[in-house]
Structure formats: C-alpha cells, structure tokens
Amino acid sequence: MTPERETVKEYLNRVIFGTDTPAGKAFDLVLIYSIFVSVAVVMLDSLQVFAVEFKLYLNAAEWFFTVLFSVEYALRIYCTPKRWRYVRSFYGIIDLLAILPTYLALFIGNINYLVVIRLLRVLRIFRVLKLMRYLEEANLLTRAILASQRKILVFFGTVLVLATVFGALMFVVEGGGHGFTSIPNSIYWTIVTITTVGYGDITPQTSLGKIIASLAMLTGYSIIAVPTGILTAELNQELMRERVKHACPACHGVGHERDATYCKFCGEELPKRTHL
Amino acid sequence: MTPERETVKEYLNRVIFGTDTPAGKAFDLVLIYSIFVSVAVVMLDSLQVFAVEFKLYLNAAEWFFTVLFSVEYALRIYCTPKRWRYVRSFYGIIDLLAILPTYLALFIGNINYLVVIRLLRVLRIFRVLKLMRYLEEANLLTRAILASQRKILVFFGTVLVLATVFGALMFVVEGGGHGFTSIPNSIYWTIVTITTVGYGDITPQTSLGKIIASLAMLTGYSIIAVPTGILTAELNQELMRERVKHACPACHGVGHERDATYCKFCGEELPKRTHL
Amino acid sequence: MTPERETVKEYLNRVIFGTDTPAGKAFDLVLIYSIFVSVAVVMLDSLQVFAVEFKLYLNAAEWFFTVLFSVEYALRIYCTPKRWRYVRSFYGIIDLLAILPTYLALFIGNINYLVVIRLLRVLRIFRVLKLMRYLEEANLLTRAILASQRKILVFFGTVLVLATVFGALMFVVEGGGHGFTSIPNSIYWTIVTITTVGYGDITPQTSLGKIIASLAMLTGYSIIAVPTGILTAELNQELMRERVKHACPACHGVGHERDATYCKFCGEELPKRTHL
Amino acid sequence: MTPERETVKEYLNRVIFGTDTPAGKAFDLVLIYSIFVSVAVVMLDSLQVFAVEFKLYLNAAEWFFTVLFSVEYALRIYCTPKRWRYVRSFYGIIDLLAILPTYLALFIGNINYLVVIRLLRVLRIFRVLKLMRYLEEANLLTRAILASQRKILVFFGTVLVLATVFGALMFVVEGGGHGFTSIPNSIYWTIVTITTVGYGDITPQTSLGKIIASLAMLTGYSIIAVPTGILTAELNQELMRERVKHACPACHGVGHERDATYCKFCGEELPKRTHL
C-alpha cells in the first residue's frame, strides 16, 4: 500500500466517523438531512394520492437515497480499521437494515417501506450537535432502566402467563363466539384489555364473560403500578447516587445539587460535572 | 405631553394591570366574568339547536365581547410603559389570540370558535384573588417539570421514532388494508395504541399484525412508566430541597415540615414561608 | 320528661349509634346485611328477565327496605342529642339519600335505582368490625391526598382549560362532522382522549384532525404522570414522617420500621403503635 | 416396609422434588418442555383451521400429556413424605388443576382448554435453573406488594362502591338504553371506563350522560395514581431497607450499593449478599 492511499482511508475515516473537523461535521449534517428527506419520500409514497401521480419521481428519489446510503455503507466498511467490529456493532446493523428493504422489494412487494428504520441512524445527531447534556440524561435513564431490567422481566413473564390463563378462560366462557374465536385471539384480547388499550373490536357478550373481563381490567389497572413503581424507585436511587458522587475537592463534602457551582460547605468552586 | 394626560395613562395602567386598588380588583373580576360568559356564548353557538333559534343574539353577544376585549387590548397597549415588551409577552399574545378569530371568521368560516383560547386569560385569576398558595404549588410543579424537561424530550424523541418504525411495519404487514392505508395513518394508529387510548377505528386483522400490535401495547405499557418515574423522582427531590431551605434562624436546624410554625429543635418561631 | 323516657332515648342511642354493646354490634351487622340485600334487590329489579317475572316481589322488597331504613332514619334523629348536627353530617345526608329515591320514584320514573347510594353507609363497617388497621391505612392515604389536594386542583384546572381549547380546535378542524357536532361534544371527545379511555365513538377523520388528536394523546400520556408523581412524592413524605414519629421512649431514637417491637438502638420495648 | 421399597420412594422423591442431582434436573427440564408443548397443542386445537384437519393427532397429544401429568401427580403424592401437605400446597393444587379439565371435558364441552393453567407450573423453572437472582427480585416485589396489600384492598373497595353508584346513575340517566340495559351492565361500563380501558361497546348518548361519563373518567384518571403511589412509596422503603441491612462486618458501616463488593468506608470485603 502506498502512503497516499493510506491517507485517503484515514481522511475518509475522519470525515465519516469523526465529528471534530468541519468536514466531518458537514458530512454528518448532510447525512441527517438526507435521512429525514428519504423517510419523508417513503411516507409520501405510501399515500395513495401522491403515489399515483408522482410514482416515477418518488421511486427515483427512493433509489437515489438507497444508492447514496449503500455507497456510504461501503465507504464506512472500507475506511474503518476494525471492519468486522463495525459491521456487527449496533450502528453497523442499523446502517445495513436502512438500505436492505429497497433491494428486497425487488422480490417481495411493499417491503421497501421498512427503510424508515434508517430513522434510528439519526441518534447520531446527539454526537454531532454536541448534545452531550441530552446524552447524559439518556444515560441516567438507561442506568435506571438497566438496574430495574430483571424486575421488569419477572413482571413481563407474569403478565404473559396471566394473559394466557385469562385468554383460555374467556375462550371457554364465550364459547368461541363474539370474536373470541381461538385461544391466541383471546390472548390478544387479554393483552388489549390489561394494558388498558381497549380497542373494542372483541368484547365479551355473556354475563360471566363481562365479570371475568372486569376482573382482568382491575388486575391490569393495579399491575400498571408495578413497572412504574420499579422504575421510579430505581430512578430515585440513581438521583441520590448522583448527588453523593458530586464531591467537593477541598472539604470532600457531598450532597450538592446537580446545578451547584460552589461547595455549600466551604465555598470552594466545584469541578465541572463530567459529561457522560 | 400634559401632566393630566400622564395621569390618565397611569390611572389606566393601575386599574388594568394592577390588582392592589379596589378599581383594579373590580376591573379584573369583571374581565374574568366576561371571559367565562363569552366562552359560554361561543359554546352555545356551536350547538345546532341553539344556533338556529338564537343566531342573531349569539352573534351580537360574540361581537360585543370581541369589541370589548379589543378595546381592552388597545388600552393595555396604550397605557403600558414598555409596549413592545407587553405585546410579545405570554399574556400579550394570548390577549391578541383571544380576539383575532372573530375578525378572521369574516374571511374563513367557523374559525371564530377558536376564541375559547381566551380561557387562558383566566390564569390571571391567580393574581387577582391572591391565590398565592396555589401559585406556589404550581411553581413547585413547574420547577419539577422544568428539571425533568430534557429527560422528557429525550423520551418523546424515542416515542416518535418508535411510532414511525412500528407504523411502517404494520403498514407492510397488514398490506395497506384494514385502515392501515398509509404510513402516516399507521403512525396515527401506533400513537393511539402505545398511549393506550385505543379507539378501535383501526385494528389489526392478520395474525402477524396482532402479534406486532401486542408487542406495541406491552412496549407502551412499560414506557408509560418512564415519564411518571422521571417526574416523581424530580418532585421528590424538590420536596426534599424545600425542607432543607426551610431553616431555623436561631439554631440553623433544617428539615422542618412544610407547615411547621416552630423549630423542632429549639422551639424558636420559624419565619413565615415566602410565597413564590 | 320522665326518667323512663330518657332511658328509652339513651338506650336507642346506645344501640343505634354505639358499637360497644352486643345489642349495638348486632344492630349494625343487621343493618349492613339489609343494605347489601336491598342493593341486590334493586340490581335484580333492573334486569329485564327478573323484573318481568318477579316485579311484585321485588317491588315489595324494595318498599320493605325503604320503610325499614326510613324508620331507622327517624329513630336516629329522635335519639341523637344534637339532631341538627347529625342531619347535616356526612352520614346524616347519606342516610337521607338512601331512602329518598324510592319516594321520588312515585313522581319521577326509574329514579328509585339511585338507592344504591346506600352502599356508602357500609363504610360504617369499619367502625363495627373494629377494622381499625384498615382505617389507619385509609388515614395515611387521606393525609397524603389532602396534602396534595391543592396541587391536584391546579392540575385539574389546567386539564379542563386544555380540554376546552383542544375541543374547539377539533370542532373547527373536523368542520362539525364525524361526531364533533358541537364544542361541548368535542370537549367530551378530548376528555375521552387525554384520559386515554378512547371509546372510539367519535374519531377524527381528517389528516389535520389526526395530527391534533395525536398531540392530544401524547399530552395526556405525559400529564398522566403529574397526579401520580404528586401523590407518590407526598406518600413518600408521609411514610418518612411516620418513621420519625415512632420514637423509642428510652433513648429517643427514631426511624424504626413500622412493624418494629423493640428499639433498634437500645433494645427497649417500643410502645404499641397508636391506631388512628 | 422393606428397606428396598423405602429406597424407591426416596429415589423418586429426590428425582421429582429435588433439583440438585443430574436426574432431578433432567426430570424438571423434561417436565417444563412437556408443559410448553402441551400448552402449544391446546392452542393449536383452539384454531379452527388446525382443529379440523389434525383433530385426531391433537386429541391424542392432549390425552398423552394429560395421562403423563396424571401419572406424575400420582407419583408425587406417592413419594412425598407429607402427602396431605403437598396436596393442599400451592403447587399441589396447580398440579391437580393442570390435569382436571381434560377429564371434565368428557362431561362439559370445551372445558379442556383450561389446561393452560399448567403454565403456572413453569414457575418451578426458577428453582431448576438456579435463577435465584430473579427470585430475589420477585421477592423484593412481593414484599413491597404485601406491605401495601391492605392499602390496595381499601382502594379496591372504594373503586367497587364508586362503580356501583356511577353505574346506577348512568342506568337512570340513559333510561336503560344505549347499552345501559341494567345496573350490572352499567357497572361493567363504569369499570371499563374508570380503568381507562374504554372498549366503546357501550357509550353514553345523552348530554347529561356524557357529563357524568367525563366525571367518571377524570375520577379514574386521578385514582389511577393511588395504587402506583402506594406501591412506589413502599418499594422505595424496601430499597432503603435493603441498603441498611447490607452492613460491613469490620466497621459496621451501612448504606452500601446493592452491587458493592468492598466496604466504602474501610475497604473491607463485604459478605456475599444472601440470596432469598
């Protein structure tokens, strides 16, 4: 390999993956606008009134963006030092899923609409616009959610078992009629009910069915409290932990407000809060 | 300018913007009753049965109140020392929006019903009736909401991206039928579903659609916990901060109840809590 | 007044209002069963199938219970020392409302079904069965709710203003069609939507209407957090206050668990927790 | 009894109830897979398309599993030392309910679908796969729920009384029409409404009915806060108690994070957290 070629690769890497240089910033901004425009194109394409009249233009635009993102995906693979790692990373997979549907639509109709998944690529906007404070918030949330992850899994297991038992019960009680045509369908109804969504496409008609449905609703109503309770308690703990971590370098006092600039015990200036 | 004219302006300012003099109080009370009556008139006007029979009277009443509020708006601009600042303030904009619809209805039909926005002017009632304790509560709430603002923004961004991805998925799975006629329509369905509103005007009919819908509901069910958790945790912190701020002037002990009158450590009388 | 007559009055008072003597307990238990049976009678009466066949018996039962409760109401007024105070008390009003509908039904049809309000009289069960621990819980809840009362009032005011503004907006946007036939009707739709009930009897059909509806839902979704957050934070404070109140008589240490029997600092036996 | 026979019984007990030996583990894993497969069979059987074509095979599979679980149930009774205690235990009852429906279906049609209740047996998976950490989480949740049990009972009593009063009111107001055909039916509607499920199969049509319905919704909207608030506050207390219990053996300092390995005060290694 010649040194010039090395430089091209490095230059591309800096522009495509980096955000510190003007070129890198510009690239990311163009990318984000392209994503929004391409998603808008797909949405318009799904609207009958537009699709009929502007079919040709919308199709062209869709292919233009898909080819553009495909080239970008190829360049990313080319210029990253650890290719395989990028390909298997969260963003690597999203980048691939963001172009695949258009190609697959040549074989399977309509699947091209799934390209809206490229919206997830916009999460990069945080990195670009130095919205670090937002990321920090997301971080706090993520930590609280991770801390309560296992509790929430236990909770969802319970909900699914409950939904199955209630579903079978309603299937038997309503005698397979009134929309409760099978156990899976009745489970669907139970989930619609205990999550308090309540479409009303399937509703109990028998007296016993209505009583069981009322029980299912009250159950749903009270278990809605569980995930909220779990997350709130964990978030509370996180906020307290935040405070304790924020210590004064002079007197080592802790417990400062999140927005404090001076130590409330000795008046010493506090260190800037580290972002992320 | 003559001194008399100055006085008129100042007098008007005191009556219209002030709430301390009997005249100022009376003015605000009359204003608030006028707002309630005018909103009632608009509501009656929207009811077919009344609109047909009393069209003339209702129309007259509507114009009467609009002219009244227009004169008031003009006087407010006239008598305030910093005109431009008032016009651009929250109340200035509301005051304008409260009269505009009636005039615009001369060109665009039905838009006059939007005058109900003048209800927002009633927020002034807090100032008038010295309902400072309520304002203090609203203040505590506002502070907690502001503190969790960014977290909630991150949360809503996530919800919208999720709604778009789920929407496109349902559009493809249900094949554009059963109400899922376009991606925007499917996004509308997703929002109806994950907020657990569940109208039932659009419901999945295919098995795969029902499974994805169940996932969307359970997702919605668990993320409903996030804003509640955020706000509750922040509110908790606010209530604790309140306590800490409420310090005894004699022994500097903190942590008194919100309604404490005497220090619980040395019995000294506590200062009255500052309102706002 | 003769002393014998005094005794009758006092005896009645002890039996009807008291719960300590066997006669008083028996009276209250009979009363509670009568209430449940009479409510069951009214419910059966509202069912077409029963009403047709057993009209006579159900009617007789209804009048039997109404006369019974009327006699009881008269006796209560007769034997209580402070008559006017009883009549205007919470239970006094409930006791009257529990018999009125049957009499009013002679003039206004169907109104007799409102006698189910006598269910509220069963709240006396707490007093009778010495379910003081339950009352204590209810007390803790009540204190937390009272503490957050003003915050919740501010909150409901905001919700109603919001519902009116959204309602008028939808009335204008949907052009008075698709069920949005008047502003009050649109306000009803807005309340159905932002409380996430979502019947689906009225749904937006225009694109703009769907966008505004989505906004209303997301608003409702996020403000559902407000009352929960308020109450949870207050309840937290109440539970902490509970702990602090539970002090050791020997070492004055505080912060014992609610179910602690011995002081965790000095091992001294803690006083029994006072109920109520 | 001969010693050999003792050994068979003991061996069975170890395999069926124990989870420490390879045989015991294998038995439990086979059992869990059997349960999942048998539930899948019942679900397929409830789907018309499958039921018609594969009736014979599905029926055979159902009976195969029922006989299998019956034999297992008999063996469990046979080999457990305290038979009566097992039969009356939670798992003993579930084990019986998991086979009964198939036999009862010989007399009462369709009831066989209730065998899905055998899903509850899978809760044993926790014991088998040593998912103790999950159990610990479930334990924390259970403790918090138990601690708030009485508060939630008080709450549900209130909801039911409220539903009855609102139900009777709507029955009278809507005049027995628009789906409000009886008081029990109206109570069903009230529960559907205040739990914010909102099917829309029954909706108020009169103006007064809509106003009362709006009140019911706002009531439901605000009382949804109560169970969430209760549970969150209790969970908070539980998490704090957890911390306090986790004391350092060297300096007796408390308040360590749940995942701390070393004492944050003296650096001593902390004892492993006891599971369950």
Side-chain angles (χ1 to χ4, degrees):
Chain A
M1 271 187 221
T2 60
E4 295 94 76
R5 227 176 134 184
E6 273 285 342
T7 320
V8 168
K9 211 170 174 179
E10 274 174 21
Y11 175 77
L12 277 172
N13 191 16
R14 194 154 40 82
V15 169
I16 296 181
F17 283 97
T19 57
D20 300 328
T21 58
K25 231 176 207 165
F27 176 84
D28 279 346
L29 282 177
V30 167
L31 186 63
I32 283 164
Y33 283 118
S34 307
I35 290 167
F36 278 124
V37 172
S38 74
V39 167
V41 164
V42 171
M43 285 197 187
L44 286 180
D45 185 41
S46 80
L47 287 163
Q48 209 94 58
V49 273
F50 286 90
V52 172
E53 227 171 318
F54 307 103
K55 194 80 198 159
L56 212 71
Y57 302 101
L58 291 169
N59 254 348
E62 204 178 316
W63 275 103
F64 168 74
F65 283 114
T66 300
V67 168
L68 193 79
F69 294 144
S70 302
V71 169
E72 184 221 339
Y73 182 61
L75 283 178
R76 274 179 195 271
I77 291 180
Y78 167 70
C79 74
T80 193
K82 291 171 180 175
R83 284 175 193 177
W84 193 232
R85 207 171 152 189
Y86 160 69
V87 170
R88 287 182 312 179
S89 74
F90 174 70
Y91 280 123
I93 292 164
I94 294 293
D95 289 352
L96 181 61
L97 288 176
I99 48 174
L100 261 190
T102 316
Y103 296 115
L104 288 176
L106 295 174
F107 310 103
I108 313 162
N110 269 342
I111 215 168
N112 57 311
Y113 295 112
L114 293 182
V115 295
V116 298
I117 210 170
R118 58 177 66 144
L119 262 184
L120 292 178
R121 300 187 66 193
V122 174
L123 291 176
R124 278 178 173 134
I125 209 173
F126 287 125
R127 224 183 44 198
V128 182
L129 303 179
K130 301 270 173 247
L131 296 174
M132 277 311 157
R133 302 197 71 178
Y134 284 84
L135 259 191
E136 192 192 344
E137 300 293 337
N139 220 35
L140 190 70
L141 265 180
T142 311
R143 265 212 311 278
I145 288 168
L146 284 180
S148 47
Q149 203 183 25
R150 277 184 303 146
K151 282 201 216 67
I152 284 174
L153 264 180
V154 170
F155 169 73
F156 269 116
T158 316
V159 166
L160 281 180
V161 169
L162 224 90
T164 310
V165 173
F166 264 116
L169 206 60
M170 287 302 284
F171 175 65
V172 172
V173 165
E174 295 282 325
H178 318 119
F180 297 87
T181 50
S182 66
I183 292 185
N185 236 353
S186 297
I187 293 176
Y188 164 73
W189 170 86
T190 314
I191 292 175
V192 168
T193 298
I194 63 178
T195 55
T196 78
V197 171
Y199 286 134
D201 52 347
I202 307 173
T203 53
Q205 302 298 328
T206 64
S207 296
L208 189 54
K210 283 177 182 177
I211 291 169
I212 296 171
S214 298
L215 271 176
M217 280 169 229
L218 288 172
T219 307
Y221 198 57
S222 56
I223 59 176
I224 210 170
V226 176
T228 309
I230 293 169
L231 191 82
T232 306
E234 291 291 348
L235 212 55
N236 244 333
Q237 301 277 330
E238 281 297 327
L239 281 173
M240 284 185 180
R241 218 167 292 172
E242 280 282 302
R243 270 192 184 199
V244 172
K245 274 197 297 192
H246 201 193
C248 168
C251 71
H252 303 294
V254 293
H256 300 101
E257 305 294 313
R258 299 194 75 201
D259 50 359
T261 317
Y262 295 98
C263 173
K264 63 181 173 186
F265 304 111
C266 66
E268 185 77 16
E269 197 169 348
L270 290 170
K272 283 250 165 59
R273 304 206 59 216
T274 50
H275 293 308
L276 258 169
Chain B
M1 269 185 222
T2 60
E4 297 94 77
R5 229 183 133 180
E6 273 286 341
T7 320
V8 169
K9 211 171 171 179
E10 275 174 19
Y11 175 76
L12 276 171
N13 191 17
R14 196 156 36 82
V15 170
I16 296 180
F17 283 98
T19 57
D20 299 329
T21 58
K25 232 176 206 164
F27 176 85
D28 279 346
L29 282 176
V30 167
L31 185 65
I32 283 164
Y33 285 117
S34 308
I35 289 167
F36 278 124
V37 173
S38 74
V39 167
V41 164
V42 171
M43 283 197 188
L44 287 180
D45 184 41
S46 80
L47 286 164
Q48 208 96 57
V49 272
F50 287 90
V52 172
E53 226 170 320
F54 306 104
K55 193 79 197 158
L56 212 72
Y57 303 101
L58 291 169
N59 255 349
E62 204 178 317
W63 275 104
F64 168 75
F65 284 115
T66 299
V67 168
L68 193 81
F69 293 145
S70 301
V71 169
E72 185 222 338
Y73 183 61
L75 283 177
R76 275 180 194 271
I77 291 179
Y78 167 71
C79 75
T80 193
K82 293 172 180 171
R83 285 176 192 176
W84 194 232
R85 206 172 153 190
Y86 161 69
V87 170
R88 287 182 313 178
S89 73
F90 175 71
Y91 280 123
I93 292 164
I94 295 292
D95 289 352
L96 182 61
L97 287 177
I99 49 174
L100 262 189
T102 317
Y103 296 114
L104 287 177
L106 295 175
F107 311 102
I108 312 162
N110 269 341
I111 215 167
N112 59 311
Y113 295 112
L114 292 183
V115 295
V116 297
I117 211 170
R118 57 178 67 142
L119 262 184
L120 292 178
R121 300 186 67 193
V122 175
L123 291 176
R124 279 182 174 130
I125 208 173
F126 287 126
R127 223 184 45 199
V128 183
L129 302 179
K130 300 270 174 249
L131 296 175
M132 277 310 158
R133 301 197 71 179
Y134 284 85
L135 258 191
E136 192 192 346
E137 300 292 337
N139 219 35
L140 189 71
L141 265 181
T142 311
R143 265 215 310 280
I145 287 167
L146 283 180
S148 47
Q149 203 183 26
R150 278 183 302 146
K151 281 199 217 69
I152 284 173
L153 263 181
V154 169
F155 169 73
F156 270 116
T158 314
V159 167
L160 281 181
V161 168
L162 224 90
T164 311
V165 173
F166 264 116
L169 206 61
M170 287 302 283
F171 175 64
V172 171
V173 165
E174 295 280 324
H178 318 119
F180 298 88
T181 50
S182 66
I183 292 184
N185 237 351
S186 297
I187 292 175
Y188 165 72
W189 170 86
T190 314
I191 292 175
V192 168
T193 298
I194 63 179
T195 55
T196 77
V197 171
Y199 286 134
D201 52 346
I202 307 173
T203 51
Q205 302 298 327
T206 64
S207 296
L208 188 55
K210 283 177 182 178
I211 292 170
I212 295 171
S214 298
L215 271 174
M217 281 168 226
L218 288 172
T219 308
Y221 198 58
S222 54
I223 60 177
I224 211 171
V226 176
T228 310
I230 293 169
L231 191 83
T232 306
E234 291 291 348
L235 212 56
N236 244 333
Q237 301 276 329
E238 280 297 327
L239 282 173
M240 283 185 180
R241 220 168 291 172
E242 281 282 302
R243 271 191 183 200
V244 172
K245 275 196 297 192
H246 202 194
C248 169
C251 71
H252 304 292
V254 293
H256 300 100
E257 305 294 314
R258 301 194 73 201
D259 50 358
T261 316
Y262 295 97
C263 173
K264 63 181 173 186
F265 304 112
C266 65
E268 185 78 14
E269 197 169 349
L270 290 170
K272 283 248 165 59
R273 304 206 61 217
T274 50
H275 293 308
L276 260 168
Chain C
M1 272 184 220
T2 60
E4 296 95 76
R5 231 184 130 179
E6 274 285 340
T7 321
V8 169
K9 212 171 172 181
E10 275 174 19
Y11 175 77
L12 276 173
N13 191 17
R14 194 155 39 81
V15 169
I16 295 180
F17 283 97
T19 56
D20 299 329
T21 57
K25 228 175 209 165
F27 177 84
D28 278 347
L29 282 176
V30 167
L31 186 65
I32 282 165
Y33 284 117
S34 307
I35 290 167
F36 278 125
V37 172
S38 74
V39 168
V41 164
V42 171
M43 284 197 187
L44 286 180
D45 184 42
S46 79
L47 286 164
Q48 208 95 58
V49 274
F50 286 91
V52 173
E53 226 170 320
F54 306 104
K55 194 80 197 159
L56 212 72
Y57 303 101
L58 291 169
N59 255 349
E62 204 178 317
W63 275 104
F64 168 75
F65 283 115
T66 299
V67 169
L68 192 80
F69 293 144
S70 301
V71 169
E72 184 220 337
Y73 183 61
L75 283 178
R76 274 179 194 272
I77 291 178
Y78 167 71
C79 74
T80 192
K82 293 171 181 173
R83 284 176 193 176
W84 194 232
R85 205 171 153 190
Y86 161 69
V87 170
R88 286 183 313 178
S89 73
F90 174 71
Y91 281 123
I93 291 163
I94 294 292
D95 288 352
L96 182 61
L97 288 177
I99 50 174
L100 262 190
T102 317
Y103 296 114
L104 288 176
L106 295 175
F107 311 102
I108 312 162
N110 269 342
I111 215 167
N112 59 312
Y113 295 113
L114 292 183
V115 295
V116 297
I117 210 171
R118 58 179 65 143
L119 262 184
L120 292 178
R121 299 186 67 193
V122 175
L123 291 176
R124 279 181 174 133
I125 208 173
F126 287 126
R127 222 184 45 199
V128 183
L129 303 179
K130 301 268 175 250
L131 295 175
M132 278 310 159
R133 303 198 69 179
Y134 283 86
L135 259 191
E136 191 192 346
E137 300 293 335
N139 219 36
L140 189 71
L141 265 181
T142 312
R143 265 214 311 278
I145 287 166
L146 284 180
S148 47
Q149 204 182 24
R150 278 184 303 145
K151 281 198 218 70
I152 283 172
L153 264 181
V154 169
F155 169 74
F156 270 116
T158 316
V159 166
L160 281 180
V161 169
L162 224 91
T164 311
V165 173
F166 264 117
L169 206 61
M170 286 302 282
F171 175 64
V172 171
V173 165
E174 294 281 324
H178 318 120
F180 299 88
T181 50
S182 67
I183 292 185
N185 236 351
S186 297
I187 293 175
Y188 164 72
W189 170 86
T190 314
I191 292 175
V192 168
T193 298
I194 64 178
T195 55
T196 76
V197 171
Y199 287 134
D201 52 347
I202 306 172
T203 52
Q205 301 297 326
T206 64
S207 297
L208 190 55
K210 284 178 182 177
I211 291 170
I212 296 171
S214 298
L215 271 175
M217 282 170 226
L218 288 172
T219 307
Y221 198 58
S222 55
I223 60 178
I224 212 172
V226 176
T228 309
I230 292 168
L231 190 83
T232 306
E234 291 292 348
L235 212 56
N236 245 331
Q237 301 276 328
E238 280 298 327
L239 281 174
M240 282 184 181
R241 219 168 290 171
E242 280 281 302
R243 270 193 184 199
V244 172
K245 275 197 298 194
H246 201 195
C248 169
C251 71
H252 304 291
V254 292
H256 300 101
E257 306 294 315
R258 302 193 72 202
D259 50 358
T261 316
Y262 295 97
C263 172
K264 63 181 174 187
F265 303 112
C266 66
E268 185 78 13
E269 197 168 351
L270 290 170
K272 282 248 165 60
R273 304 205 59 214
T274 50
H275 294 307
L276 258 169
Chain D
M1 270 185 221
T2 59
E4 296 94 71
R5 227 179 134 183
E6 275 285 342
T7 320
V8 169
K9 213 170 171 180
E10 275 175 20
Y11 175 76
L12 277 172
N13 191 16
R14 193 154 41 80
V15 170
I16 295 180
F17 283 97
T19 56
D20 299 328
T21 57
K25 229 177 208 165
F27 177 84
D28 279 347
L29 282 177
V30 167
L31 185 65
I32 283 164
Y33 283 117
S34 306
I35 290 167
F36 278 125
V37 172
S38 75
V39 167
V41 163
V42 171
M43 285 197 186
L44 286 180
D45 185 42
S46 80
L47 287 163
Q48 208 95 58
V49 272
F50 286 90
V52 172
E53 225 171 320
F54 305 104
K55 195 80 197 158
L56 212 72
Y57 303 101
L58 291 169
N59 256 348
E62 206 178 315
W63 276 104
F64 168 74
F65 283 115
T66 300
V67 169
L68 193 80
F69 293 146
S70 303
V71 169
E72 184 221 337
Y73 182 61
L75 283 178
R76 274 180 193 271
I77 292 179
Y78 167 70
C79 74
T80 193
K82 293 169 180 175
R83 282 174 195 178
W84 193 232
R85 206 172 153 189
Y86 161 69
V87 169
R88 287 182 313 178
S89 73
F90 174 70
Y91 280 124
I93 292 164
I94 294 292
D95 289 352
L96 182 62
L97 287 176
I99 49 174
L100 263 189
T102 316
Y103 296 114
L104 288 176
L106 295 174
F107 310 103
I108 312 163
N110 269 342
I111 215 168
N112 59 311
Y113 294 113
L114 292 182
V115 293
V116 297
I117 210 170
R118 58 178 67 143
L119 261 185
L120 292 178
R121 300 187 67 192
V122 174
L123 291 176
R124 280 179 173 134
I125 209 173
F126 287 125
R127 224 183 44 198
V128 183
L129 303 180
K130 302 271 174 245
L131 296 175
M132 277 310 157
R133 302 198 70 178
Y134 284 85
L135 259 191
E136 191 192 346
E137 300 293 335
N139 220 34
L140 190 71
L141 265 181
T142 311
R143 265 212 312 277
I145 288 168
L146 284 180
S148 47
Q149 203 182 26
R150 277 183 303 145
K151 282 200 217 68
I152 284 172
L153 264 179
V154 169
F155 169 75
F156 270 115
T158 315
V159 167
L160 281 180
V161 169
L162 224 90
T164 310
V165 173
F166 264 116
L169 206 60
M170 287 303 283
F171 175 64
V172 171
V173 165
E174 295 281 325
H178 318 120
F180 298 88
T181 50
S182 67
I183 293 185
N185 237 353
S186 297
I187 292 176
Y188 164 73
W189 170 86
T190 314
I191 291 175
V192 168
T193 298
I194 62 178
T195 55
T196 77
V197 171
Y199 286 135
D201 52 347
I202 306 173
T203 52
Q205 301 297 327
T206 64
S207 296
L208 189 55
K210 283 177 183 179
I211 291 169
I212 297 171
S214 298
L215 271 175
M217 281 168 227
L218 288 172
T219 308
Y221 197 58
S222 56
I223 59 176
I224 210 171
V226 176
T228 309
I230 293 168
L231 190 82
T232 305
E234 291 291 348
L235 212 55
N236 244 332
Q237 302 276 330
E238 280 297 327
L239 282 173
M240 283 184 181
R241 218 167 292 172
E242 281 280 303
R243 271 193 184 198
V244 172
K245 274 197 299 193
H246 201 194
C248 168
C251 70
H252 303 292
V254 293
H256 300 100
E257 305 295 314
R258 301 194 75 202
D259 49 359
T261 316
Y262 295 98
C263 173
K264 62 181 172 185
F265 304 111
C266 66
E268 184 77 16
E269 198 168 349
L270 291 169
K272 282 249 166 58
R273 306 205 58 216
T274 50
H275 294 307
L276 259 169

